[in-house]
Amino acid sequence: MSDLFQKTAADRDLTRRSLNYLALFRIGLAGVIVAVAFGGFNTAVEAEYKVFLARATGLTYILAAFSFAYYQWRPTFPFQELARFSLATDIVLLLLVLHCFGGLGSGLAILLIFTVGIAGLLLPIRTALFFAALISLGVIGEAWLAMSQGSGDALVLQAAIYGIASFATALGCSLLGRWGREYQLLAERRRNDLVGLEQVNDLIIRRMRSGVLVVDAELKVRQMNESAWYLLGNPSVSEDRLNVIAPALVDRLTHWRKTGRSEEEGLLLKATQAAVVPQFVRLPGVLGEATLIFLEDTSVVARRARDLAQASLARLSASIAHEIRNPLGALSHAAQLLGESPDLPKQDLRLIQIIRDHTARMNDIVENVLKLSRRERAQIEQVNITDWLRSLADEFRDQAGLPPSRVRVEAPRNAITVLIDPGQMHQAVSNLLENALRHAGSENHEPTLTLRLSPIRGHREMALDIIDDGPGIPLEKRSQIFEPFFTTHKQGSGLGLFLARQLCDANAAPLEYVQIPNAGACFRILLRRTGQDAEAAAHPKLANV
């Protein structure tokens, strides 16, 4: 039982605050008693010994009041022990004051009831009941002394009433104090739970790939997570006007507020050229109604759906490729033997050459499909992308027999570190260069290829653009260029871009087609920078410290 009351006893801070208020009350009460005992108000003190006792009690009380105040201001002092001793001292001295200034008839016994009430609120119930018993004995003793002096029997009833009131006050205040402490503990537990949930929610929102921001009725941004900040072009921290940060998003928000419906069509954010689908939710609050905006990056959603579909397609294609490879080899070998015959006419030789060309093309398709099915997991490492890119360009020039002017590299001179698998990315970029060389050229035009490296999204990523100066890709065909077996070239397999995107996705480096003014086709690969490299590039002043 004592453990239960000990657990529900007032905590250290609550006891200390209560003792501070009690100390002020005690000092004031002791000052009044001293003033009455030593001033001209001691006419109520009948016996001479009571005058001496009242003065001694007053001096003792004011000395004790200041002593208790001094000790409770020391943070290392045990407050529970101080509360017990100080309240016990209050009861003893107030009983003496009651005896000196008129006894039970003076009404000063109410101070004793107040003291036992404080004990019930701050201390365990056993201690409060002990103080109530002490007060009851004191008032009974005071009534007995008064009866021995012939003051009347009515004081016995008053003593009994004060005794019962002491026990009732101790029990009532103890219960109230216990309930109050339980509610306080419950409130603190709920507050800690809410703080924990708030921290979890904040962590989830900050780590979300989708952009999340809160806008009030005046189009001012209250809150924004990291993804939204990058999608909106890294706006300044001091800029909170949405119509300045993203005017196109404001148009969508205005339309939603008028009609109550969100448009499903994607929205292109000019600051980052990112395509998003905004979703709006009303968010009432004490600061006024606001709007919660979700910015879902369509490239992420499309990439997930594409990965699921292409994984199934890769498994199916690999099975078919294995079955095709053996009869394809037999056809190629038979055509080779048939072509060695000396008696074949030119028409038959032409047909044999067609068989060879198409079997070679089908063999290329089979090899590409098997590469997809055998592709190993990317071995990500830190790579100096500027040196790696120049080395790749030199190697491609040598293999294709091109002069330096036909394959240009536009990249910063300083070292930039990204996270890629150099082998897989070498294959992906080589496929893109071969694709550009094949489709951008014509009989009257020799294409020029450009490898351009530039920072994007607040220097968090690097954009590697493979650009040609050909006619570009028609608008109606851009949505199909990454589909397997789709090609616009008569000698193409339709798997070059598909394989390049698969390799880029394995490196967490999205590959997209980007429209660039005054240029042909442009394929962009977004490369992740290392944390320190990206931080130094985003804050050059910090990097120089």
Side-chain angles (χ1 to χ4, degrees):
M1 192 72 174
S2 60
D3 293 339
L4 176 63
F5 289 121
Q6 186 68 28
K7 290 180 182 178
T8 58
D11 60 12
R12 183 183 180 90
D13 293 335
L14 178 61
T15 305
R16 183 174 184 177
R17 291 195 301 269
S18 301
L19 288 178
N20 288 336
Y21 297 129
L22 183 60
L24 295 177
F25 171 78
R26 185 184 291 119
I27 292 174
L29 179 61
V32 172
I33 293 174
V34 170
V36 173
F38 286 90
F41 307 101
N42 58 0
T43 55
V45 181
E46 299 176 357
E48 186 174 348
Y49 82 94
K50 291 185 178 180
V51 175
F52 172 78
L53 183 60
R55 291 177 177 177
T57 302
L59 291 175
T60 303
Y61 199 15
I62 196 168
L63 179 62
F66 281 106
S67 298
F68 293 147
Y70 168 75
Y71 280 110
Q72 70 190 43
W73 286 336
R74 298 173 60 184
T76 58
F77 199 85
F79 293 101
Q80 288 284 336
E81 298 298 329
L82 179 61
R84 290 190 182 94
F85 187 71
S86 63
L87 289 173
T89 303
D90 287 340
I91 292 173
V92 173
L93 294 177
L94 288 176
L95 285 172
L96 293 176
V97 171
L98 178 67
H99 175 69
C100 295
F101 292 94
L104 295 177
S106 64
L108 294 178
I110 194 67
L111 296 175
L112 297 170
I113 304 299
F114 172 78
T115 303
V116 78
I118 295 295
L121 290 174
L122 299 181
L123 301 174
I125 191 171
R126 287 187 177 182
T127 306
L129 292 177
F130 171 76
F131 287 161
L134 184 63
I135 291 173
S136 299
L137 292 176
V139 295
I140 290 174
E142 179 63 25
W144 180 79
L145 288 176
M147 290 178 61
S148 65
Q149 297 175 2
S151 299
D153 298 335
L155 296 179
V156 177
L157 180 60
Q158 292 184 16
I161 293 174
Y162 281 127
I164 294 173
S166 298
F167 281 99
T169 302
L171 287 173
C173 290
S174 295
L175 291 176
L176 288 176
R178 178 180 178 180
W179 292 338
R181 288 187 289 272
E182 289 177 349
Y183 286 130
Q184 180 187 10
L185 293 175
L186 181 61
E188 290 180 354
R189 192 177 299 115
R190 293 292 181 266
R191 180 179 63 83
N192 294 334
D193 292 342
L194 290 176
V195 170
L197 288 175
E198 184 179 359
Q199 293 175 349
V200 171
N201 291 337
D202 183 63
L203 179 61
I204 292 174
I205 290 175
R206 285 191 288 108
R207 294 293 182 89
M208 285 178 63
R209 295 293 299 270
S210 300
V212 180
L213 64 155
V214 179
V215 180
D216 60 15
E218 298 179 355
L219 301 179
K220 289 186 177 181
V221 179
R222 292 183 185 174
Q223 191 175 1
M224 181 189 307
N225 72 342
E226 184 178 1
S227 297
W229 186 68
Y230 282 120
L231 287 172
L232 295 177
N234 310 328
S236 173
V237 178
S238 59
E239 183 58 70
D240 61 351
R241 295 171 297 172
L242 187 62
N243 56 344
V244 176
I245 298 174
L249 187 58
V250 173
D251 296 338
R252 287 289 183 91
L253 177 59
T254 304
H255 178 269
W256 174 79
R257 287 177 175 177
K258 291 180 179 179
T259 62
R261 296 191 305 271
S262 299
E263 298 183 16
E264 297 298 332
E265 185 180 354
L267 175 67
L268 184 65
L269 299 177
K270 294 184 178 180
T272 57
Q273 294 297 311
V276 298
V277 177
Q279 299 291 334
F280 307 97
V281 179
R282 296 190 186 278
L283 191 67
V286 295
L287 298 178
E289 184 173 336
T291 303
L292 182 64
I293 305 177
F294 294 92
L295 300 178
E296 187 70 31
D297 194 343
T298 57
S299 62
V300 176
V301 179
R303 195 178 306 121
R304 291 172 183 170
R306 186 177 64 247
D307 290 343
L308 293 175
Q310 292 176 353
S312 301
L313 180 61
R315 289 192 295 268
L316 177 62
S317 301
S319 300
I320 297 174
H322 280 292
E323 298 298 328
I324 293 176
R325 198 172 193 181
N326 292 333
L328 186 62
L331 288 174
S332 177
H333 185 63
Q336 182 180 359
L337 293 177
L338 187 59
E340 294 176 357
S341 176
D343 299 330
L344 290 177
K346 293 184 178 180
Q347 294 83 356
D348 293 341
L349 290 175
R350 174 59 180 164
L351 294 176
I352 292 174
Q353 185 62 38
I354 293 175
I355 294 174
R356 289 180 176 178
D357 292 342
H358 283 278
T359 53
R361 180 186 175 191
M362 291 179 64
N363 186 67
D364 291 340
I365 295 175
V366 170
E367 289 294 334
N368 287 330
V369 170
L370 292 178
K371 286 180 181 178
L372 288 175
S373 61
R374 293 195 302 261
R375 190 187 70 208
E376 298 179 354
R377 180 174 296 180
Q379 302 296 324
I380 303 299
E381 59 184 81
Q382 297 184 10
V383 176
N384 183 354
I385 189 62
T386 54
D387 293 343
W388 179 87
L389 192 60
R390 291 187 174 93
S391 175
L392 184 146
D394 293 338
E395 182 179 341
F396 184 78
R397 292 191 198 100
D398 295 338
Q399 291 178 355
L402 300 175
S405 60
R406 294 278 303 280
V407 181
R408 300 181 301 179
V409 177
E410 298 179 1
R413 295 184 178 275
N414 58 307
I416 298 176
T417 307
V418 297
L419 300 172
I420 58 172
D421 182 329
Q424 291 188 356
M425 291 305 299
H426 186 284
Q427 183 180 355
V429 177
S430 297
N431 284 356
L432 294 172
L433 289 172
E434 292 173 0
N435 183 76
L437 194 63
R438 183 184 303 116
H439 290 81
S442 64
E443 295 180 357
N444 302 322
H445 175 68
E446 293 183 349
T448 299
L449 310 182
T450 303
L451 294 171
R452 179 181 297 165
L453 187 67
S454 57
I456 194 173
R457 296 185 180 181
H459 296 266
R460 185 182 62 169
E461 297 175 332
M462 296 298 295
L464 173 56
D465 295 335
I466 296 89
I467 308 171
D468 61 53
D469 58 352
I473 300 176
L475 181 61
E476 64 275 7
K477 295 181 180 180
R478 291 177 187 172
S479 60
Q480 301 175 277
I481 57 177
F482 292 107
E483 294 180 2
F485 307 112
F486 175 81
T487 180
T488 58
H489 195 275
K490 60 181 180 180
Q491 297 297 330
S493 64
L495 288 174
L497 293 179
F498 174 75
L499 180 59
R501 171 173 268 185
Q502 290 286 306
L503 293 170
C504 289
D505 287 346
N507 286 260
L511 170 62
E512 302 291 343
Y513 179 81
V514 180
Q515 181 64 37
I516 295 182
N518 302 323
C522 174
F523 291 90
R524 172 172 292 177
I525 303 175
L526 295 181
L527 305 173
R528 297 174 297 159
R529 303 184 69 170
T530 58
Q532 296 179 352
D533 190 25
E535 185 70 19
H539 305 284
K541 292 183 179 180
L542 297 179
N544 295 329
V545 175

